[in-house]
Amino acid sequence: MLSRQRSSGSHRRGIRTRTRTRRSAVLASAGTALAGLLVGTLSVTASHAEDQSACRPDGLYATPGVDVPYCSVYDSAGREKTGADHQRRVIGYFTGWRTGRDGTPAYLAPDIPWDKVTHLNYAFAHVGPDDRISVGADGTDNPATGMTWPGVAGADMDPALPYKGHFNLLNKFKKQHPQVKTLISVGGWAETGGYIDENGKRVDSGGFYRTATNADGSVNQAGIDTFADSAVAFVKKYGFNGVDIDYEYPTSMKDAGNPKDWALANARRGGLNKGYAALMKTLREKLDRAGAADGKHYLLSVAAPSSGYLLRGMETYRTTQYLDYVNVMSYDLHGAWNEFVGPNAALYDDGKDAELAKWGVYGAAQYGGIGYLNGDWAYHYFRGALPAGRINLGLPYYTRGWKNVTGGTDGLWGTARTTSCPAGSGLTSCGDGAVGIDNLWHDKDDDGKESPAGSNPMWHAKNLEKGVVGDYVTRYGFPAGTKLTGSYARRYDTTLTAPWLWNADKKVFLSTEDEQSVKAKAQYVVDKGLGGTMVWELAGDYGWNAAKGQYEPGSTLTGAMYDAFKSAPAYGAQRATTQLPSQALDVGVDFTGFPLGDSNYPINPKIHITNNTRTTLPGGSEFQFDYASSAPGNAKDQSGWGLKVVRSDHTAPDNIGGLKGDYHRVSVKLPASQSLAPGASVDIDFVYYLPTSTPSNWTVAFGGRTYALAGDLARGTTVVDPTGPSPTPTGTPTGTPTGTPTGTPTGTPTGGACTAPAWDRATAYGGGTTVSWKSRSWKAKWWTQGEEPGTTGEWGVWQDLGAC
């Protein structure tokens, strides 16, 4: 078992910062409750809906009964249409605070390389105290909707729009570049649990933590509905193509996220995953309904953590089924929140990570020698639940760094420790972060002092490398005539795919990103079939100004990705790597019962299987599924059912240079003496040792035939009943979400008798009332009338109590 590791991170006003999040080795503790898998299935009735379903991405949940216009965004293979010379996504975060009003260089919509990007995420909106999405009050000082920039080339407003600011300019340029989609990003490091007011002060309102989850850990559906309705209205009002959620973080790990949020978030840890799943499901359904009405599909994405510690507390990240794609924050993997000096965004592990070595990760046999602080590991984590094309690799256009580094090779894997930690960080021991000219994009701590982090835009880092003091430094508070101490030698590690700057005189280490690393990562995206890349943030990219002899904001790195992707083959649109059956059964599978936080080690949920067909599954029926190679191939069960790994795509003793394959395939059989009747459920104790997203590619075999499972949401399957053909409309799995833990003993089927009165459409039912309907018992969670049990979904009014 490892000791706790500290880190945290995410999008924030000004810079990406990360003061703390006990990243423990994923070994030392873990989890939360409920991480549903294979929940829900779809129902489509209209013939036009069948045509649209041909464009639905593999594994994407669709709102039952809604004719979602997928083909407005996706082609007939389920791949996003991004323009003729954009074979992969290039998603850039465009921040609202680089307005130039504070005297520092502005980065405005005319500065965006519109011909090189496919998507823009505007950062940030927040959740207001009324649970509604907000960018603050309208006015001339509001950068999103009211600010103007007279005299700035290209920043003249479109007079046809009823608002000004960044939103006006984004829509003006979209008219010239219609292939670019824009999303409103909500949350971020500073605004997940509150918001920044018009005076630049943080208001601790609770944000997502309060809106999605009640104080007792239950789902706050009323708050979620209010937020989702307002988000739909917002994207329609301001011309966005979708919503991006940056919730940092709905994990059960204590003290994760912004320290200002801990008091409220820690009290709700046990329910954050449920609230997050309800939030994303509700957003998906409301966006789908709006899209059907408007004739265009609205996108839903998230900025997802790459920290194994955080992900372990997010169960199996079951919200992936609701997302068009996930943007993996595969950066902030090392930083001055602790003393371990290493790359901000390594693509691969090299077996030498000082932080992992400190806690014995490499030497622990159960972890398979897998180092998990790298982009390749994070990609493979999400690959367990998603096709490669629904995953985007994150890249940082900023540095992280330390001073007073000792040991290591030119600082790499050295240490830099101090007890002078930023006020408000919650830390008594931390890394000795670089400051001054090595920390241009710094935040301020709670005392208004510079937070040491070595955070710089890449254009400033390139000037340091070249020995140039840019003329902009006076605008950041440095006196004219400022000179550099020592030289910044560029170093590069090909195994890690990571560059850095090393100043031997100052013992300063700055982890960077440049053309060599970006081109290597772009090639990785092409080779692995990923959907593309995501960048935090566009304002950090660089270009060379020959007239001034200095680097300035530009588009060099974004251009390198564009060039790498414009003639690339199509991305991977299929989740399974082996052929699955075309016929599927309505058998539900959830992963439930995750212990919370540090109690979740080894990772030990229950696999909850429910037979929703009309036929008994006989004893000896064999279930198979894939789980991600982010976890080693040594999963087992504690139910005595003989669960075993029957195929491993990655069998190496470590992951130096990358994981070699995507999946481990597991087989488990019902005991010969134990059948599974219609409506019955069974639980299997499952054990694995590093996090994986929701296992997928399920099959069940009996009677000489093998079927897929409807809840996998796979393209091209037809749901049948093994008693005879009763297929659902072509290619679209149907059913209702499952996932309510039964609380029954492990391995014991469940069921009951219908003793409650039958549901009646005209009757009003109060919360707690039990009814029977279609051979199942149902309990109302709150007052309801006219809502048929079985149609309101997992987070709706009716709780499924099981067959009767």
Side-chain angles (χ1 to χ4, degrees), residues 354-375:
E355 185 170 355
L356 298 180
K358 169 74 173 180
W359 306 118
V361 173
Y362 295 128
Q366 65 267 39
Y367 307 118
I370 292 176
Y372 51 81
L373 297 180
N374 57 85

Side-chain angles (χ1 to χ4, degrees), residues 245-283:
I245 299 296
D246 187 12
Y247 181 168
E248 303 187 23
Y249 301 98
T251 179
S252 68
M253 310 311 291
K254 186 175 182 289
D255 291 353
N258 193 320
K260 293 180 173 64
D261 300 333
W262 290 351
L264 186 144
N266 283 342
R268 290 165 159 80
R269 290 289 174 199
L272 294 184
N273 274 283
K274 283 184 179 180
Y276 187 48
L279 171 69
M280 301 312 296
K281 182 173 187 287
T282 302
L283 274 170

Side-chain angles (χ1 to χ4, degrees), residues 38-65:
L38 306 179
V39 299
T41 49
L42 323 173
S43 78
V44 180
T45 54
S47 61
H48 178 60
E50 294 177 28
D51 296 336
Q52 290 292 322
S53 73
C55 298
R56 180 181 65 87
D58 192 18
L60 177 63
Y61 172 93
T63 302

Side-chain angles (χ1 to χ4, degrees), residues 346-494:
L347 181 59
Y348 297 116
D349 185 62
D350 67 352
K352 302 174 184 178
D353 188 305
E355 185 170 355
L356 298 180
K358 169 74 173 180
W359 306 118
V361 173
Y362 295 128
Q366 65 267 39
Y367 307 118
I370 292 176
Y372 51 81
L373 297 180
N374 57 85
D376 176 75
W377 182 89
Y379 157 68
H380 280 93
Y381 169 89
F382 287 101
R383 183 68 178 90
L386 295 170
R390 288 175 59 198
I391 305 170
N392 304 310
L393 184 73
L395 283 79
Y397 282 2
Y398 64 95
T399 72
R400 288 216 173 272
W402 299 255
K403 65 180 185 297
N404 299 320
V405 176
T406 61
T409 302
D410 291 333
L412 178 65
W413 304 135
T415 58
R417 185 178 183 182
T418 184
T419 56
S420 300
C421 301
S425 68
L427 299 173
T428 57
S429 175
C430 58
D432 195 0
V435 296
I437 199 70
D438 302 324
N439 195 33
L440 196 72
W441 265 5
H442 66 270
D443 276 345
K444 293 182 179 180
D445 66 18
D446 287 355
D447 293 335
K449 298 178 181 178
E450 175 185 5
S451 289
S455 183
N456 306 279
M458 279 309 310
W459 42 268
H460 178 59
K462 293 297 289 184
N463 282 329
L464 294 178
E465 178 186 342
K466 202 171 183 67
V468 170
V469 178
D471 62 5
Y472 51 81
V473 299
T474 56
R475 300 169 68 182
Y476 286 92
F478 295 95
T482 295
K483 297 185 182 300
L484 301 179
T485 299
S487 61
Y488 296 79
R490 180 185 180 272
R491 299 288 184 260
Y492 190 86
D493 189 288
T494 54

Side-chain angles (χ1 to χ4, degrees), residues 22-253:
R22 303 174 321 161
R23 188 210 286 125
S24 186
V26 166
L27 320 164
S29 21
T32 289
L34 153 62
L37 150 79
L38 306 179
V39 299
T41 49
L42 323 173
S43 78
V44 180
T45 54
S47 61
H48 178 60
E50 294 177 28
D51 296 336
Q52 290 292 322
S53 73
C55 298
R56 180 181 65 87
D58 192 18
L60 177 63
Y61 172 93
T63 302
V66 177
D67 183 4
V68 181
Y70 296 114
C71 298
S72 66
V73 170
Y74 296 102
D75 64 18
S76 59
R79 293 187 177 95
E80 188 175 1
K81 295 180 284 190
T82 52
D85 58 343
H86 294 278
Q87 295 302 306
R88 307 297 170 95
R89 303 180 190 94
V90 178
I91 302 171
Y93 274 90
F94 172 66
T95 60
W97 52 84
R98 303 202 186 282
T99 63
R101 293 287 184 91
D102 62 353
T104 60
Y107 190 89
L108 305 176
D111 300 312
I112 295 170
W114 285 88
D115 59 333
K116 296 178 175 63
V117 299
T118 60
H119 302 68
L120 294 168
N121 290 350
Y122 180 84
F124 285 107
H126 61 263
V127 183
D130 58 356
D131 296 323
R132 298 174 61 82
I133 189 173
S134 175
V135 288
D138 287 335
T140 57
D141 290 332
N142 187 313
T145 61
M147 195 174 285
T148 59
W149 294 271
V152 176
D156 50 304
M157 296 291 138
D158 183 343
L161 296 172
Y163 44 83
K164 298 179 181 179
H166 291 309
F167 290 179
N168 180 293
L169 295 179
L170 288 175
N171 281 296
K172 185 185 81 169
F173 280 94
K174 279 173 65 177
K175 292 178 182 178
Q176 303 169 33
H177 303 275
Q179 85 283 358
V180 178
K181 304 180 182 78
T182 56
L183 290 84
I184 182 67
S185 188
V186 192
W189 178 257
E191 296 190 300
T192 282
Y195 62 95
I196 308 298
D197 69 14
E198 62 275 10
N199 299 313
K201 302 296 183 182
R202 152 83 182 215
V203 178
D204 300 330
S205 60
F208 281 128
Y209 292 115
R210 181 187 55 79
T211 293
T213 307
N214 291 314
D216 63 359
S218 62
V219 172
N220 182 7
Q221 190 62 49
I224 288 170
D225 284 337
T226 297
F227 173 77
D229 286 337
S230 72
V232 170
F234 189 99
V235 300
K236 296 172 79 167
K237 177 179 180 179
Y238 293 114
F240 287 98
N241 299 96
V243 179
D244 174 67
I245 299 296
D246 187 12
Y247 181 168
E248 303 187 23
Y249 301 98
T251 179
S252 68
M253 310 311 291

